Amino acid sequence: MVTSRRGSAPPKAAEAPGLRERNKQEKLERIREAARELFASKGFAETTTREIAERAGVGTGTLFLYARTKEELLMLVLAEKVEAVQEERFRTLPTRAPLLEQLLHVFEGFFRLYAKDPALARMFIREALFMEPGPAGERLQLERAFAARLAGLVAAARERGEVAGDVDLEMAGFNFFSLYLTTLMGWLSGALGPGDSWRPVLERSFALQLKGLGPGAGTSGGNRRRRS
Amino acid sequence: MVTSRRGSAPPKAAEAPGLRERNKQEKLERIREAARELFASKGFAETTTREIAERAGVGTGTLFLYARTKEELLMLVLAEKVEAVQEERFRTLPTRAPLLEQLLHVFEGFFRLYAKDPALARMFIREALFMEPGPAGERLQLERAFAARLAGLVAAARERGEVAGDVDLEMAGFNFFSLYLTTLMGWLSGALGPGDSWRPVLERSFALQLKGLGPGAGTSGGNRRRRS
DNA sequence: GCTCAAAAATGAGTATGCTCAGAAAAATGG
DNA sequence: CCATTTTTCTGAGCATACTCATTTTTGAGC
């Protein structure tokens, strides 16, 4: 038998970290942390990749083994948090509340996250929307999965009788996602007026999607106005 | 009075080209043309600013007096065309057709334009959405103006009785713009399946916005289904 | 025409994202 | 324990977007 100096942990196939893999994970974490700190303190454009490498204690070239571009470093930093927020929001969903309220509950999480550093968030959204898909088409998967979850909310609302039986669930999910995304971009660009709140805008946008434009609809939202 | 050598054209305040202004316009046009040709033949990333400068017959530094960044060169090339398409589409609007048809008429123009070079179009949309506003906030103005025109279409439809009297016109314009934008981005990213058509997607998305989700709505689109 | 101030153009220089040939480190095998 | 192969790391170097001190051009007053 080969002498293994620290015999305590023979590598098992199922969960064999292996020195190599462990080092890689550690390095990735150091890079992530360095990027997070620098982006937060100096901003994205003002941070150089060399700084990040130095702070993470790796060579400048090494950085680009873990992220193909500077923008991917930003993804590394934020994608994690976005996913966490998504999970948390669906976990704490008020399952008995009306659809509109549920949707606002979900999206509020994202707005709150992005509010912490709107400039950085803006860069992140820009990248998330337009990044070239890697070997696997990761980027699209995430959006699709999210739209599907929204469709799930609509499906549940249909069960409750809040929604007509013949609506296309996938399309409904897509539409809500779309309205959210555009509102978010406008908000991050300061187009809603500086410091203005996203909430009433998103709420009215969603309400209009729920109610529709047709003259047949009418009373769903509450206040109707006189025809001129 | 000052001696003006070619006395035929004393500079008038209203429309005084002036040698300076004329040269500037000419140079801008040369730059625009050079950028257009190179972007079209080699792609955006593969084209260097030096190439554009050389082809336009100006110094490399001069380029950045006319466009602050390489991306603004792309705006220079495409914004013009987008505006032209917008005008043309509203001019040829089928004023008696239903709202859905009118909307598709307008947006078809954009999709057709972008279809000529989807990769370039993608870069353009990316820039148009996320460019820092210059001294004046040009970028936002354009989108607002466009959304306002859409709101105008909805207003006209309301006159015709196609749309309920109590809908928020501005919000309706915003929602249609939003649905268009997201569909466009998905299409340009190839998320609708490669070579797939944008039309049915956009049509269904708009139809859902017109009809709404509520169980009260029903008959607007035509075919209604029984509740299960 | 000549002089001079203002505007515009220039291209050598700078900063920085990213590459790649070679070095170092880890696994593998005897 | 050493030899060999495979994987990972590295930083000098490259490409190129953009800057800025200097030069050139324009137009007005005399």
Side-chain angles (χ1 to χ4, degrees):
Chain A
M1 194 190 292
V2 182
T3 58
S4 81
R5 263 194 304 179
R6 16 181 179 168
S8 59
K12 287 189 296 183
E15 39 149 344
L19 180 51
R20 220 156 219 176
E21 198 56 29
R22 194 137 27 93
N23 278 346
K24 250 165 80 168
Q25 279 322 107
E26 243 173 56
K27 234 163 234 178
L28 178 60
E29 207 40 60
R30 290 212 310 275
I31 288 171
R32 214 201 299 266
E33 187 59 21
R36 172 156 43 226
E37 291 171 9
L38 287 167
F39 287 158
S41 67
K42 307 182 50 178
F44 181 78
E46 291 72 26
T47 302
T48 69
T49 56
R50 292 191 221 279
E51 282 177 293
I52 297 173
E54 188 176 13
R55 182 160 198 140
V58 301
T60 63
T62 308
L63 219 58
F64 295 94
L65 296 174
Y66 290 83
R68 285 172 307 174
T69 65
K70 186 183 180 185
E71 284 75 25
E72 264 194 32
L73 286 168
L74 185 56
M75 300 292 284
L76 221 52
V77 167
L78 276 177
E80 221 184 17
K81 306 217 169 195
V82 170
E83 220 159 323
V85 164
Q86 192 186 328
E87 291 311 317
E88 189 269 337
R89 286 282 107 176
F90 275 96
R91 210 174 46 241
T92 62
L93 191 77
T95 47
R96 303 235 155 265
L99 180 56
L100 177 56
E101 201 175 309
Q102 292 185 342
L103 290 168
L104 289 171
H105 171 84
V106 169
F107 290 117
E108 180 170 36
F110 294 118
F111 277 97
R112 279 233 270 264
L113 171 62
Y114 296 139
K116 288 179 189 168
D117 194 336
L120 211 59
R122 193 158 164 247
M123 289 297 304
F124 171 74
I125 296 296
R126 172 194 169 109
E127 243 358 77
L129 287 177
F130 289 97
M131 173 164 290
E132 310 287 323
E138 330 96 40
R139 134 89 204 315
L140 300 172
Q141 303 313 319
L142 283 181
E143 283 173 18
R144 267 179 211 261
F146 183 60
R149 289 184 101 160
L150 293 181
L153 291 188
V154 180
R158 192 169 65 178
E159 294 299 317
R160 282 180 264 128
E162 268 193 78
V163 166
D166 63 343
V167 301
D168 181 337
L169 293 179
E170 271 198 62
M171 192 47 81
F174 171 83
N175 275 17
F176 283 121
F177 177 69
S178 170
L179 297 174
Y180 151 70
L181 192 64
T182 313
T183 304
L184 174 65
M185 290 192 300
W187 183 62
L188 290 175
S189 297
L192 311 185
D196 208 349
S197 168
W198 52 271
R199 204 169 220 284
V201 180
L202 192 62
E203 188 167 347
R204 279 164 57 217
S205 178
F206 280 0
L208 189 58
Q209 165 62 83
L210 285 167
K211 188 166 118 189
L213 299 183
T219 51
S220 165
N223 60 334
R224 65 170 127 182
R225 272 188 225 163
R226 208 171 348 104
R227 293 271 209 102
S228 63
Chain B
M1 196 189 291
V2 182
T3 59
S4 82
R5 260 196 308 177
R6 18 185 176 166
S8 59
K12 286 190 295 183
E15 41 148 343
L19 179 50
R20 220 158 218 172
E21 198 56 29
R22 197 136 26 94
N23 278 348
K24 252 165 76 166
Q25 277 323 104
E26 245 172 55
K27 234 165 233 180
L28 178 61
E29 207 40 60
R30 289 211 311 274
I31 289 171
R32 212 202 298 268
E33 187 59 22
R36 172 156 43 225
E37 290 170 9
L38 286 168
F39 287 156
S41 66
K42 307 182 50 180
F44 181 78
E46 291 71 26
T47 302
T48 70
T49 55
R50 292 197 227 277
E51 283 177 294
I52 297 173
E54 189 178 10
R55 181 159 199 142
V58 301
T60 63
T62 308
L63 219 58
F64 295 94
L65 296 175
Y66 290 83
R68 285 172 307 174
T69 66
K70 186 183 178 185
E71 284 75 23
E72 263 195 32
L73 286 169
L74 185 55
M75 301 292 285
L76 220 54
V77 167
L78 275 177
E80 218 185 20
K81 305 216 169 195
V82 170
E83 219 158 325
V85 164
Q86 191 186 329
E87 291 311 319
E88 188 269 338
R89 286 282 107 175
F90 274 97
R91 210 174 46 239
T92 61
L93 191 78
T95 45
R96 304 235 153 264
L99 179 57
L100 178 56
E101 201 175 310
Q102 292 185 342
L103 290 168
L104 289 172
H105 171 84
V106 169
F107 289 117
E108 179 170 35
F110 294 118
F111 277 96
R112 279 233 269 265
L113 171 63
Y114 296 140
K116 289 180 188 167
D117 194 336
L120 211 59
R122 193 158 165 249
M123 289 297 304
F124 170 73
I125 296 296
R126 172 193 169 109
E127 243 359 77
L129 287 177
F130 289 97
M131 172 165 291
E132 310 287 324
E138 331 97 40
R139 135 88 202 317
L140 299 173
Q141 302 314 319
L142 282 181
E143 283 172 18
R144 266 180 212 262
F146 183 60
R149 289 183 99 160
L150 293 181
L153 291 188
V154 180
R158 190 168 68 179
E159 294 298 318
R160 282 180 266 130
E162 267 193 79
V163 166
D166 64 343
V167 302
D168 182 336
L169 294 180
E170 270 199 61
M171 192 47 82
F174 171 83
N175 276 17
F176 283 122
F177 178 69
S178 169
L179 297 174
Y180 151 70
L181 193 64
T182 313
T183 304
L184 175 64
M185 290 193 299
W187 184 63
L188 290 176
S189 297
L192 310 186
D196 209 348
S197 168
W198 52 270
R199 204 168 219 284
V201 180
L202 192 62
E203 188 166 346
R204 278 165 58 216
S205 178
F206 280 179
L208 188 59
Q209 166 61 81
L210 285 167
K211 188 166 120 191
L213 299 183
T219 52
S220 166
N223 59 333
R224 70 169 127 183
R225 274 184 225 167
R226 221 169 330 108
R227 292 263 214 109
S228 63

